[in-house]
Amino acid sequence: MALFAGCTAKLEPHPLTYTQILTGTEKKAWRMVSYQIFDNGKTDGVQSVQTLLQPCEADDQFVFYANAEHKFEYTNGATKCDPSETDVIFEDSWTLINGNASLEFVIPVLGGKFPWTIKNLTETSLTVEYYFPDIEASYRFTFNSTTK
């Protein structure tokens, strides 16, 4: 009579980090879908990005790379504002600080790089907010991604 001894490996779950969710395994593209402005604690609610941007800008993508340089690209979507525009509008870098859930990157409509507070981050949705303490206002943007 033969006995079979089996060994089982204990599987430990490895939850994804903010970085892995943001960038995927190589790179991940996000498209801005909505925004909300808070002024002295008051807001008009969530607005579609279509009311803020031209149609040729509304399909542009924010691409976060999973490389050591933390490469960031802002790219044209299917609709270009000018046919002579390149696919990549500009390149920069991004910074993520897990301790306070802060993500620093450029949103062109605001004209600069800001340290955004991550309000929500899932595989398909990213919501960030920046507080302007000197004017008691904040801007909140939501992005969606269909890439892994």
Side-chain angles (χ1 to χ4, degrees), residues 61-63 65 67 69-76 86-94 105-106 108 113:
Q61 297 185 341
F62 298 75
V63 184
Y65 283 79
N67 58 14
E69 296 79 26
H70 290 175
K71 181 179 173 182
F72 170 80
E73 290 179 340
Y74 181 65
T75 63
N76 264 307
T86 59
D87 289 338
V88 177
I89 298 170
F90 71 83
E91 292 181 0
D92 199 26
S93 62
W94 59 271
F105 69 103
V106 175
K113 190 179 227 180

Side-chain angles (χ1 to χ4, degrees), residues 14-140:
H14 297 288
L16 295 177
T17 65
Y18 273 160
T19 300
Q20 291 168 314
I21 296 170
L22 180 69
T23 65
T25 56
E26 292 179 29
K27 66 180 179 177
K28 192 168 185 177
W30 298 84
R31 188 178 63 80
M32 186 185 299
V33 294
S34 67
Y35 71 96
Q36 189 171 7
I37 298 172
F38 296 88
D39 189 4
N40 287 315
K42 297 177 183 160
T43 181
D44 289 335
V46 176
Q47 305 292 316
S48 169
V49 73
Q50 305 295 334
T51 64
L52 179 66
L53 303 174
Q54 298 176 46
C56 61
E57 296 170 317
D59 67 350
D60 292 351
Q61 297 185 341
F62 298 75
V63 184
F64 295 85
Y65 283 79
N67 58 14
E69 296 79 26
H70 290 175
K71 181 179 173 182
F72 170 80
E73 290 179 340
Y74 181 65
T75 63
N76 264 307
T79 309
K80 293 183 178 181
C81 295
D82 182 329
S84 66
E85 283 183 327
T86 59
D87 289 338
V88 177
I89 298 170
F90 71 83
E91 292 181 0
D92 199 26
S93 62
W94 59 271
T95 304
L96 177 69
I97 301 168
N98 277 341
N100 62 357
S102 175
L103 175 62
E104 189 173 294
F105 69 103
V106 175
I107 294 183
V109 71
L110 296 179
K113 190 179 227 180
F114 295 94
W116 300 93
T117 299
I118 298 172
K119 303 299 279 183
N120 180 55
L121 178 58
T122 68
E123 293 268 344
T124 58
S125 180
L126 166 64
T127 301
V128 296
E129 186 168 5
Y130 181 74
Y131 303 94
F132 296 91
D134 52 332
I135 59 172
E136 296 183 31
S138 67
Y139 291 171
R140 184 180 293 179

